[in-house]
Amino acid sequence: MGSLISMIKKIPDIEIINSIQHGNKEDFRLLVDRYKDRAFSMLKRMLKNEMEAEEVLQDSFIKAFNSIPNFRGDAKFSTWFYKIVYNTCLTVLSNQKRKKDIEFISIDEEFEIGAYDNKIYAQAENGNEYLYKLIDKLPIRYSLIIILFYIDNLSINEISNILDVSIVNVKVILFRARNELKDLMIKHNYQKEYN
């Protein structure tokens, strides 16, 4: 049984998609299992609400399932899917009149560091949990870039495609996000080595 699960995990996304496109619609479950946790984590950080994140995740999977016949493989499935998740989330934020919180800054704009809670996260069970709480303190646009680049290991090009901003803007935002996260880590006496 364990070897079957590991074999399934190694099946490339494109093979699963081809199977779905040839009528094996139940294979979509493999993609759901593969991407649900990371997408949910991203949505929780953007929406700050678990129930909303679950709803948007379900909507995103429905949109992906309905659009999979048109998937051509020009981009990786993960990039294509995260773009659906991101855009669905933007719609929710826009409907809640919070769109201004997630609009990306242009290169020319000056960034002002906001006032942050001075609370030290002593209740965090481990270093990663502590770090995630600090990431949650960042503005949405910054926490999202940090998550996509460092946690989901997406490339600058993939992030540019998902967020529909230029590669240069992604690099600038990532640079600023790293600096602000570093400032937060210092401010909260986070001792783990930062690279």
Side-chain angles (χ1 to χ4, degrees), residues 46-47 52 88-103 140:
M46 288 181 73
L47 294 164
E52 282 182 356
T88 305
C89 187
L90 282 187
T91 301
V92 169
L93 289 170
S94 173
N95 289 343
Q96 296 171 347
K97 300 185 186 223
R98 290 193 276 165
K99 190 172 183 180
K100 62 180 172 40
D101 293 337
I102 49 81
E103 286 176 350
I140 289 171

Side-chain angles (χ1 to χ4, degrees), residues 73 122 129 145 148-149 156 176 180:
E129 182 183 342
I145 289 271
L148 292 175
F149 189 74
I156 297 289
R176 291 176 176 175
E180 187 167 346

Side-chain angles (χ1 to χ4, degrees), residues 39-73:
F40 183 62
S41 176
M42 182 174 92
L43 287 167
K44 276 197 307 188
R45 285 182 168 77
M46 288 181 73
L47 294 164
K48 310 288 187 201
N49 181 305
E50 273 197 33
M51 263 177 58
E52 282 182 356
E54 284 176 14
E55 287 176 21
V56 171
L57 183 61
Q58 286 178 357
D59 288 349
S60 300
F61 275 122
I62 290 167
K63 287 177 183 175
F65 180 78
N66 290 333
S67 299
I68 218 155
N70 304 320
F71 182 79
R72 307 244 180 278

Side-chain angles (χ1 to χ4, degrees), residues 62-177:
I62 290 167
K63 287 177 183 175
F65 180 78
N66 290 333
S67 299
I68 218 155
N70 304 320
F71 182 79
R72 307 244 180 278
D74 299 335
K76 291 194 311 191
F77 175 80
S78 58
T79 305
W80 181 78
F81 177 64
Y82 278 133
K83 189 169 182 108
I84 290 172
V85 171
Y86 178 73
N87 287 333
T88 305
C89 187
L90 282 187
T91 301
V92 169
L93 289 170
S94 173
N95 289 343
Q96 296 171 347
K97 300 185 186 223
R98 290 193 276 165
K99 190 172 183 180
K100 62 180 172 40
D101 293 337
I102 49 81
E103 286 176 350
F104 282 84
I105 56 175
S106 73
I107 300 166
D108 301 329
E109 288 178 327
E110 291 297 319
F111 173 70
E112 294 177 22
I113 295 176
Y116 287 101
D117 179 7
N118 287 322
K119 179 179 177 185
I120 301 296
Y121 291 100
Q123 71 271 24
E125 291 178 17
N126 59 51
N128 283 342
E129 182 183 342
Y130 187 96
L131 185 57
Y132 288 141
K133 288 189 179 197
L134 290 181
I135 291 171
D136 282 344
K137 288 279 187 192
L138 296 172
I140 289 171
R141 61 184 170 260
Y142 287 176
S143 64
L144 183 59
I145 289 271
I146 294 280
I147 290 161
L148 292 175
F149 189 74
Y150 289 106
I151 297 172
D152 288 332
N153 296 315
L154 297 182
S155 70
I156 297 289
N157 285 348
E158 290 170 320
I159 296 170
S160 170
N161 188 356
I162 291 166
L163 305 180
D164 203 23
V165 295
S166 71
I167 288 172
V168 172
N169 242 3
V170 171
K171 288 179 180 177
V172 169
I173 296 165
L174 181 60
F175 175 79
R176 291 176 176 175

